[in-house]
Amino acid sequence: MNINRDKLVKIAVQGQVDHPRMKGYRVGFDGKGRMPIGTGGITYSHAIGDPCMGLAGDHVEPGISLANPGNGENHALETFACVGNEARIINGPKKGEIGYVSGTHGGIDHTMICFDKSILEEMDGNETILVKAYGQGMKLVDHPEIYIMNLDPDLFETLPIEEKGDAITFPVVTMIPSFLMGSGLGSSTMMEGDYDIMTQDKEANETYGINDLRFGDFVAIQDHDNEYGPHYLKGSISIGVIVHSDSFTSGHGPGVCVVATSKTGKIQPVITKEANLKTYMSNIRRR
């Protein structure tokens, strides 16, 4: 598939392991107050490919939660870093180890980095990580009605995507109806951050396969255009990656980092059980 690879800019951005924060009780959609483990730091127990539902936590981020202490610099990190980008530890006991970006999380403004568990176990939590940001501005030359964002070109070329006339197929684990999308609506762009699948309706969670979601799963969002911020548009379609866990907070749930969208429905989702970053990153070949 023809992409504008020769026009894309690869640039270094970096951040540090961002310590978790706690402000006290958080009241959930059920009126109960909780002090759940949430965003930040290094998460040892849950990684890409693991279930993101039913955890004893809220908005849990797999692997490393990365941020830059400068506000503008952090927005650049979160905006330029793309799912699948190479990330390298540049100090500390595991200096030189290579991982990859698994997504970004709006509101807390984190960029999540995936490393093997054996590497995470030996880190000291003071690391700086360099990301080779690459992918923003990618276009499918022969498919102008499809908008790509937040996606590494090397990862894109690993995905089992096929051209079907003026459309493309895209592997996903499930289809999410537009009415279940919540927190993050109203954002002006999805080139940084994510928006959430609402999980307060148990029947919907079962009907649409939400209970089975894993960190790193690709999902399709029906009737949502994300080219310049998420909104309802009948017939449109968006594809995203699950980047954080479920939440007790009203209007929240697993976070979706958008990687592709089409106002005219030129993306055809194909239900694929193993449509997960863990599957595709194991086959990636860097150029």
PDB file of all heavy atoms in Angstrom, residues 169-201:
ATOM      1  N   THR A 169      -9.518  -2.738   4.480  1.00  0.00           N
ATOM      2  CA  THR A 169      -9.960  -3.505   5.637  1.00  0.00           C
ATOM      3  C   THR A 169      -9.050  -3.181   6.810  1.00  0.00           C
ATOM      4  O   THR A 169      -7.932  -2.706   6.628  1.00  0.00           O
ATOM      5  CB  THR A 169      -9.915  -5.009   5.359  1.00  0.00           C
ATOM      6  OG1 THR A 169      -8.543  -5.410   5.157  1.00  0.00           O
ATOM      7  CG2 THR A 169     -10.753  -5.362   4.140  1.00  0.00           C
ATOM      8  N   PHE A 170      -9.525  -3.436   8.032  1.00  0.00           N
ATOM      9  CA  PHE A 170      -8.712  -3.184   9.222  1.00  0.00           C
ATOM     10  C   PHE A 170      -9.126  -4.192  10.293  1.00  0.00           C
ATOM     11  O   PHE A 170     -10.309  -4.310  10.616  1.00  0.00           O
ATOM     12  CB  PHE A 170      -8.923  -1.756   9.744  1.00  0.00           C
ATOM     13  CG  PHE A 170      -7.736  -1.174  10.454  1.00  0.00           C
ATOM     14  CD1 PHE A 170      -7.005  -0.136   9.906  1.00  0.00           C
ATOM     15  CD2 PHE A 170      -7.324  -1.682  11.694  1.00  0.00           C
ATOM     16  CE1 PHE A 170      -5.910   0.406  10.554  1.00  0.00           C
ATOM     17  CE2 PHE A 170      -6.231  -1.166  12.348  1.00  0.00           C
ATOM     18  CZ  PHE A 170      -5.517  -0.109  11.783  1.00  0.00           C
ATOM     19  N   PRO A 171      -8.175  -4.944  10.871  1.00  0.00           N
ATOM     20  CA  PRO A 171      -8.518  -5.936  11.891  1.00  0.00           C
ATOM     21  C   PRO A 171      -8.873  -5.284  13.225  1.00  0.00           C
ATOM     22  O   PRO A 171      -8.163  -4.402  13.703  1.00  0.00           O
ATOM     23  CB  PRO A 171      -7.242  -6.768  12.012  1.00  0.00           C
ATOM     24  CG  PRO A 171      -6.147  -5.802  11.656  1.00  0.00           C
ATOM     25  CD  PRO A 171      -6.727  -4.914  10.591  1.00  0.00           C
ATOM     26  N   VAL A 172      -9.977  -5.723  13.830  1.00  0.00           N
ATOM     27  CA  VAL A 172     -10.412  -5.224  15.145  1.00  0.00           C
ATOM     28  C   VAL A 172     -11.001  -6.384  15.935  1.00  0.00           C
ATOM     29  O   VAL A 172     -11.469  -7.373  15.351  1.00  0.00           O
ATOM     30  CB  VAL A 172     -11.465  -4.096  15.028  1.00  0.00           C
ATOM     31  CG1 VAL A 172     -10.890  -2.890  14.292  1.00  0.00           C
ATOM     32  CG2 VAL A 172     -12.726  -4.595  14.333  1.00  0.00           C
ATOM     33  N   VAL A 173     -11.007  -6.263  17.254  1.00  0.00           N
ATOM     34  CA  VAL A 173     -11.599  -7.326  18.076  1.00  0.00           C
ATOM     35  C   VAL A 173     -13.099  -7.149  18.249  1.00  0.00           C
ATOM     36  O   VAL A 173     -13.818  -8.122  18.497  1.00  0.00           O
ATOM     37  CB  VAL A 173     -10.923  -7.421  19.463  1.00  0.00           C
ATOM     38  CG1 VAL A 173      -9.434  -7.728  19.313  1.00  0.00           C
ATOM     39  CG2 VAL A 173     -11.140  -6.155  20.281  1.00  0.00           C
ATOM     40  N   THR A 174     -13.587  -5.906  18.108  1.00  0.00           N
ATOM     41  CA  THR A 174     -15.021  -5.665  18.275  1.00  0.00           C
ATOM     42  C   THR A 174     -15.403  -4.321  17.673  1.00  0.00           C
ATOM     43  O   THR A 174     -14.540  -3.487  17.358  1.00  0.00           O
ATOM     44  CB  THR A 174     -15.429  -5.715  19.766  1.00  0.00           C
ATOM     45  OG1 THR A 174     -16.850  -5.767  19.870  1.00  0.00           O
ATOM     46  CG2 THR A 174     -14.916  -4.507  20.538  1.00  0.00           C
ATOM     47  N   MET A 175     -16.725  -4.121  17.532  1.00  0.00           N
ATOM     48  CA  MET A 175     -17.290  -2.867  17.026  1.00  0.00           C
ATOM     49  C   MET A 175     -18.009  -2.164  18.176  1.00  0.00           C
ATOM     50  O   MET A 175     -18.865  -2.761  18.837  1.00  0.00           O
ATOM     51  CB  MET A 175     -18.277  -3.152  15.907  1.00  0.00           C
ATOM     52  CG  MET A 175     -17.718  -4.006  14.774  1.00  0.00           C
ATOM     53  SD  MET A 175     -16.996  -3.018  13.471  1.00  0.00           S
ATOM     54  CE  MET A 175     -18.448  -2.314  12.716  1.00  0.00           C
ATOM     55  N   ILE A 176     -17.682  -0.906  18.407  1.00  0.00           N
ATOM     56  CA  ILE A 176     -18.291  -0.124  19.484  1.00  0.00           C
ATOM     57  C   ILE A 176     -19.267   0.881  18.884  1.00  0.00           C
ATOM     58  O   ILE A 176     -18.887   1.683  18.024  1.00  0.00           O
ATOM     59  CB  ILE A 176     -17.207   0.633  20.284  1.00  0.00           C
ATOM     60  CG1 ILE A 176     -16.117  -0.314  20.787  1.00  0.00           C
ATOM     61  CG2 ILE A 176     -17.843   1.406  21.432  1.00  0.00           C
ATOM     62  CD1 ILE A 176     -16.577  -1.357  21.760  1.00  0.00           C
ATOM     63  N   PRO A 177     -20.543   0.869  19.309  1.00  0.00           N
ATOM     64  CA  PRO A 177     -21.498   1.850  18.786  1.00  0.00           C
ATOM     65  C   PRO A 177     -21.186   3.249  19.298  1.00  0.00           C
ATOM     66  O   PRO A 177     -20.644   3.424  20.389  1.00  0.00           O
ATOM     67  CB  PRO A 177     -22.837   1.354  19.317  1.00  0.00           C
ATOM     68  CG  PRO A 177     -22.500   0.552  20.525  1.00  0.00           C
ATOM     69  CD  PRO A 177     -21.157  -0.060  20.279  1.00  0.00           C
ATOM     70  N   SER A 178     -21.553   4.236  18.524  1.00  0.00           N
ATOM     71  CA  SER A 178     -21.203   5.624  18.830  1.00  0.00           C
ATOM     72  C   SER A 178     -21.726   6.081  20.184  1.00  0.00           C
ATOM     73  O   SER A 178     -21.064   6.861  20.887  1.00  0.00           O
ATOM     74  CB  SER A 178     -21.736   6.553  17.738  1.00  0.00           C
ATOM     75  OG  SER A 178     -23.146   6.439  17.625  1.00  0.00           O
ATOM     76  N   PHE A 179     -22.911   5.574  20.597  1.00  0.00           N
ATOM     77  CA  PHE A 179     -23.528   6.078  21.830  1.00  0.00           C
ATOM     78  C   PHE A 179     -22.780   5.656  23.085  1.00  0.00           C
ATOM     79  O   PHE A 179     -23.060   6.174  24.171  1.00  0.00           O
ATOM     80  CB  PHE A 179     -24.998   5.667  21.919  1.00  0.00           C
ATOM     81  CG  PHE A 179     -25.253   4.179  21.960  1.00  0.00           C
ATOM     82  CD1 PHE A 179     -25.107   3.450  23.131  1.00  0.00           C
ATOM     83  CD2 PHE A 179     -25.658   3.522  20.816  1.00  0.00           C
ATOM     84  CE1 PHE A 179     -25.353   2.083  23.168  1.00  0.00           C
ATOM     85  CE2 PHE A 179     -25.910   2.146  20.839  1.00  0.00           C
ATOM     86  CZ  PHE A 179     -25.751   1.429  22.013  1.00  0.00           C
ATOM     87  N   LEU A 180     -21.817   4.737  22.977  1.00  0.00           N
ATOM     88  CA  LEU A 180     -21.053   4.317  24.147  1.00  0.00           C
ATOM     89  C   LEU A 180     -19.772   5.121  24.354  1.00  0.00           C
ATOM     90  O   LEU A 180     -19.060   4.905  25.329  1.00  0.00           O
ATOM     91  CB  LEU A 180     -20.695   2.827  24.046  1.00  0.00           C
ATOM     92  CG  LEU A 180     -21.843   1.855  24.333  1.00  0.00           C
ATOM     93  CD1 LEU A 180     -21.361   0.417  24.206  1.00  0.00           C
ATOM     94  CD2 LEU A 180     -22.451   2.093  25.711  1.00  0.00           C
ATOM     95  N   MET A 181     -19.471   6.060  23.460  1.00  0.00           N
ATOM     96  CA  MET A 181     -18.261   6.861  23.635  1.00  0.00           C
ATOM     97  C   MET A 181     -18.544   8.054  24.550  1.00  0.00           C
ATOM     98  O   MET A 181     -19.551   8.746  24.385  1.00  0.00           O
ATOM     99  CB  MET A 181     -17.731   7.334  22.282  1.00  0.00           C
ATOM    100  CG  MET A 181     -17.362   6.186  21.345  1.00  0.00           C
ATOM    101  SD  MET A 181     -16.306   4.915  22.092  1.00  0.00           S
ATOM    102  CE  MET A 181     -14.814   5.854  22.426  1.00  0.00           C
ATOM    103  N   GLY A 182     -17.641   8.263  25.523  1.00  0.00           N
ATOM    104  CA  GLY A 182     -17.875   9.275  26.549  1.00  0.00           C
ATOM    105  C   GLY A 182     -16.745  10.255  26.725  1.00  0.00           C
ATOM    106  O   GLY A 182     -16.474  11.078  25.848  1.00  0.00           O
ATOM    107  N   SER A 183     -16.072  10.198  27.872  1.00  0.00           N
ATOM    108  CA  SER A 183     -15.055  11.182  28.227  1.00  0.00           C
ATOM    109  C   SER A 183     -14.053  11.400  27.098  1.00  0.00           C
ATOM    110  O   SER A 183     -13.500  10.456  26.545  1.00  0.00           O
ATOM    111  CB  SER A 183     -14.311  10.715  29.481  1.00  0.00           C
ATOM    112  OG  SER A 183     -13.288  11.623  29.820  1.00  0.00           O
ATOM    113  N   GLY A 184     -13.833  12.655  26.760  1.00  0.00           N
ATOM    114  CA  GLY A 184     -12.956  13.016  25.655  1.00  0.00           C
ATOM    115  C   GLY A 184     -13.703  13.633  24.500  1.00  0.00           C
ATOM    116  O   GLY A 184     -13.103  14.322  23.659  1.00  0.00           O
ATOM    117  N   LEU A 185     -15.019  13.411  24.438  1.00  0.00           N
ATOM    118  CA  LEU A 185     -15.824  14.085  23.424  1.00  0.00           C
ATOM    119  C   LEU A 185     -15.709  15.603  23.622  1.00  0.00           C
ATOM    120  O   LEU A 185     -15.710  16.087  24.752  1.00  0.00           O
ATOM    121  CB  LEU A 185     -17.293  13.660  23.533  1.00  0.00           C
ATOM    122  CG  LEU A 185     -17.615  12.220  23.126  1.00  0.00           C
ATOM    123  CD1 LEU A 185     -19.072  11.910  23.426  1.00  0.00           C
ATOM    124  CD2 LEU A 185     -17.324  12.003  21.653  1.00  0.00           C
ATOM    125  N   GLY A 186     -15.617  16.325  22.537  1.00  0.00           N
ATOM    126  CA  GLY A 186     -15.439  17.768  22.614  1.00  0.00           C
ATOM    127  C   GLY A 186     -14.004  18.194  22.415  1.00  0.00           C
ATOM    128  O   GLY A 186     -13.722  19.394  22.280  1.00  0.00           O
ATOM    129  N   SER A 187     -13.077  17.232  22.390  1.00  0.00           N
ATOM    130  CA  SER A 187     -11.681  17.562  22.117  1.00  0.00           C
ATOM    131  C   SER A 187     -11.545  18.072  20.688  1.00  0.00           C
ATOM    132  O   SER A 187     -12.268  17.635  19.781  1.00  0.00           O
ATOM    133  CB  SER A 187     -10.798  16.318  22.293  1.00  0.00           C
ATOM    134  OG  SER A 187     -10.879  15.817  23.602  1.00  0.00           O
ATOM    135  N   SER A 188     -10.604  18.978  20.462  1.00  0.00           N
ATOM    136  CA  SER A 188     -10.412  19.544  19.126  1.00  0.00           C
ATOM    137  C   SER A 188      -9.542  18.661  18.247  1.00  0.00           C
ATOM    138  O   SER A 188      -9.505  18.834  17.028  1.00  0.00           O
ATOM    139  CB  SER A 188      -9.795  20.940  19.220  1.00  0.00           C
ATOM    140  OG  SER A 188      -8.529  20.884  19.865  1.00  0.00           O
ATOM    141  N   THR A 189      -8.833  17.711  18.859  1.00  0.00           N
ATOM    142  CA  THR A 189      -7.988  16.804  18.088  1.00  0.00           C
ATOM    143  C   THR A 189      -7.814  15.499  18.854  1.00  0.00           C
ATOM    144  O   THR A 189      -7.856  15.486  20.084  1.00  0.00           O
ATOM    145  CB  THR A 189      -6.604  17.418  17.814  1.00  0.00           C
ATOM    146  OG1 THR A 189      -5.811  16.468  17.071  1.00  0.00           O
ATOM    147  CG2 THR A 189      -5.876  17.761  19.100  1.00  0.00           C
ATOM    148  N   MET A 190      -7.616  14.414  18.096  1.00  0.00           N
ATOM    149  CA  MET A 190      -7.261  13.128  18.684  1.00  0.00           C
ATOM    150  C   MET A 190      -5.811  12.776  18.360  1.00  0.00           C
ATOM    151  O   MET A 190      -5.401  11.634  18.503  1.00  0.00           O
ATOM    152  CB  MET A 190      -8.187  12.033  18.171  1.00  0.00           C
ATOM    153  CG  MET A 190      -9.554  12.032  18.821  1.00  0.00           C
ATOM    154  SD  MET A 190      -9.551  11.387  20.519  1.00  0.00           S
ATOM    155  CE  MET A 190      -9.802  12.896  21.452  1.00  0.00           C
ATOM    156  N   MET A 191      -5.029  13.769  17.941  1.00  0.00           N
ATOM    157  CA  MET A 191      -3.601  13.532  17.679  1.00  0.00           C
ATOM    158  C   MET A 191      -2.798  13.524  18.970  1.00  0.00           C
ATOM    159  O   MET A 191      -1.590  13.294  18.950  1.00  0.00           O
ATOM    160  CB  MET A 191      -3.047  14.567  16.698  1.00  0.00           C
ATOM    161  CG  MET A 191      -3.534  14.355  15.279  1.00  0.00           C
ATOM    162  SD  MET A 191      -2.883  15.546  14.109  1.00  0.00           S
ATOM    163  CE  MET A 191      -1.157  15.051  14.030  1.00  0.00           C
ATOM    164  N   GLU A 192      -3.435  13.791  20.082  1.00  0.00           N
ATOM    165  CA  GLU A 192      -2.846  13.535  21.397  1.00  0.00           C
ATOM    166  C   GLU A 192      -3.977  13.076  22.311  1.00  0.00           C
ATOM    167  O   GLU A 192      -5.090  13.554  22.236  1.00  0.00           O
ATOM    168  CB  GLU A 192      -2.148  14.773  21.978  1.00  0.00           C
ATOM    169  CG  GLU A 192      -3.037  15.960  22.226  1.00  0.00           C
ATOM    170  CD  GLU A 192      -2.317  17.077  22.972  1.00  0.00           C
ATOM    171  OE1 GLU A 192      -1.413  16.799  23.768  1.00  0.00           O
ATOM    172  OE2 GLU A 192      -2.688  18.240  22.752  1.00  0.00           O
ATOM    173  N   GLY A 193      -3.670  12.099  23.146  1.00  0.00           N
ATOM    174  CA  GLY A 193      -4.672  11.638  24.088  1.00  0.00           C
ATOM    175  C   GLY A 193      -5.600  10.580  23.519  1.00  0.00           C
ATOM    176  O   GLY A 193      -5.285   9.906  22.547  1.00  0.00           O
ATOM    177  N   ASP A 194      -6.772  10.449  24.143  1.00  0.00           N
ATOM    178  CA  ASP A 194      -7.696   9.365  23.846  1.00  0.00           C
ATOM    179  C   ASP A 194      -9.102   9.795  24.218  1.00  0.00           C
ATOM    180  O   ASP A 194      -9.299  10.898  24.719  1.00  0.00           O
ATOM    181  CB  ASP A 194      -7.316   8.122  24.669  1.00  0.00           C
ATOM    182  CG  ASP A 194      -7.525   8.350  26.168  1.00  0.00           C
ATOM    183  OD1 ASP A 194      -7.071   9.400  26.672  1.00  0.00           O
ATOM    184  OD2 ASP A 194      -8.166   7.519  26.838  1.00  0.00           O
ATOM    185  N   TYR A 195     -10.077   8.925  23.966  1.00  0.00           N
ATOM    186  CA  TYR A 195     -11.404   9.109  24.567  1.00  0.00           C
ATOM    187  C   TYR A 195     -11.960   7.753  24.955  1.00  0.00           C
ATOM    188  O   TYR A 195     -11.498   6.722  24.472  1.00  0.00           O
ATOM    189  CB  TYR A 195     -12.337   9.944  23.719  1.00  0.00           C
ATOM    190  CG  TYR A 195     -12.895   9.424  22.422  1.00  0.00           C
ATOM    191  CD1 TYR A 195     -14.240   9.655  22.104  1.00  0.00           C
ATOM    192  CD2 TYR A 195     -12.125   8.777  21.460  1.00  0.00           C
ATOM    193  CE1 TYR A 195     -14.784   9.250  20.907  1.00  0.00           C
ATOM    194  CE2 TYR A 195     -12.661   8.372  20.252  1.00  0.00           C
ATOM    195  CZ  TYR A 195     -13.989   8.600  19.975  1.00  0.00           C
ATOM    196  OH  TYR A 195     -14.535   8.209  18.776  1.00  0.00           O
ATOM    197  N   ASP A 196     -12.926   7.758  25.882  1.00  0.00           N
ATOM    198  CA  ASP A 196     -13.287   6.543  26.614  1.00  0.00           C
ATOM    199  C   ASP A 196     -14.571   5.879  26.129  1.00  0.00           C
ATOM    200  O   ASP A 196     -15.531   6.553  25.732  1.00  0.00           O
ATOM    201  CB  ASP A 196     -13.468   6.865  28.102  1.00  0.00           C
ATOM    202  CG  ASP A 196     -12.171   7.190  28.810  1.00  0.00           C
ATOM    203  OD1 ASP A 196     -11.128   7.269  28.136  1.00  0.00           O
ATOM    204  OD2 ASP A 196     -12.211   7.359  30.048  1.00  0.00           O
ATOM    205  N   ILE A 197     -14.564   4.545  26.233  1.00  0.00           N
ATOM    206  CA  ILE A 197     -15.781   3.755  26.058  1.00  0.00           C
ATOM    207  C   ILE A 197     -16.504   3.720  27.403  1.00  0.00           C
ATOM    208  O   ILE A 197     -15.934   3.293  28.405  1.00  0.00           O
ATOM    209  CB  ILE A 197     -15.447   2.315  25.626  1.00  0.00           C
ATOM    210  CG1 ILE A 197     -14.627   2.311  24.336  1.00  0.00           C
ATOM    211  CG2 ILE A 197     -16.725   1.492  25.469  1.00  0.00           C
ATOM    212  CD1 ILE A 197     -14.036   0.952  23.995  1.00  0.00           C
ATOM    213  N   MET A 198     -17.746   4.166  27.455  1.00  0.00           N
ATOM    214  CA  MET A 198     -18.498   4.148  28.716  1.00  0.00           C
ATOM    215  C   MET A 198     -18.905   2.713  29.052  1.00  0.00           C
ATOM    216  O   MET A 198     -19.366   1.970  28.187  1.00  0.00           O
ATOM    217  CB  MET A 198     -19.727   5.050  28.617  1.00  0.00           C
ATOM    218  CG  MET A 198     -19.386   6.517  28.472  1.00  0.00           C
ATOM    219  SD  MET A 198     -20.843   7.604  28.557  1.00  0.00           S
ATOM    220  CE  MET A 198     -21.627   7.234  26.980  1.00  0.00           C
ATOM    221  N   THR A 199     -18.747   2.344  30.315  1.00  0.00           N
ATOM    222  CA  THR A 199     -18.978   0.956  30.724  1.00  0.00           C
ATOM    223  C   THR A 199     -19.969   0.833  31.880  1.00  0.00           C
ATOM    224  O   THR A 199     -19.965  -0.167  32.601  1.00  0.00           O
ATOM    225  CB  THR A 199     -17.642   0.308  31.138  1.00  0.00           C
ATOM    226  OG1 THR A 199     -17.036   1.114  32.164  1.00  0.00           O
ATOM    227  CG2 THR A 199     -16.699   0.178  29.969  1.00  0.00           C
ATOM    228  N   GLN A 200     -20.835   1.818  32.049  1.00  0.00           N
ATOM    229  CA  GLN A 200     -21.756   1.789  33.175  1.00  0.00           C
ATOM    230  C   GLN A 200     -22.991   0.910  32.929  1.00  0.00           C
ATOM    231  O   GLN A 200     -23.763   0.647  33.853  1.00  0.00           O
ATOM    232  CB  GLN A 200     -22.185   3.214  33.548  1.00  0.00           C
ATOM    233  CG  GLN A 200     -21.106   4.023  34.244  1.00  0.00           C
ATOM    234  CD  GLN A 200     -20.015   4.497  33.303  1.00  0.00           C
ATOM    235  OE1 GLN A 200     -20.277   5.223  32.338  1.00  0.00           O
ATOM    236  NE2 GLN A 200     -18.779   4.103  33.560  1.00  0.00           N
ATOM    237  N   ASP A 201     -23.193   0.460  31.685  1.00  0.00           N
ATOM    238  CA  ASP A 201     -24.324  -0.398  31.353  1.00  0.00           C
ATOM    239  C   ASP A 201     -23.822  -1.835  31.160  1.00  0.00           C
ATOM    240  O   ASP A 201     -23.137  -2.144  30.190  1.00  0.00           O
ATOM    241  CB  ASP A 201     -25.009   0.104  30.069  1.00  0.00           C
ATOM    242  CG  ASP A 201     -26.296  -0.648  29.760  1.00  0.00           C
ATOM    243  OD1 ASP A 201     -26.225  -1.843  29.416  1.00  0.00           O
ATOM    244  OD2 ASP A 201     -27.385  -0.031  29.863  1.00  0.00           O
TER     245      ASP A 201
END
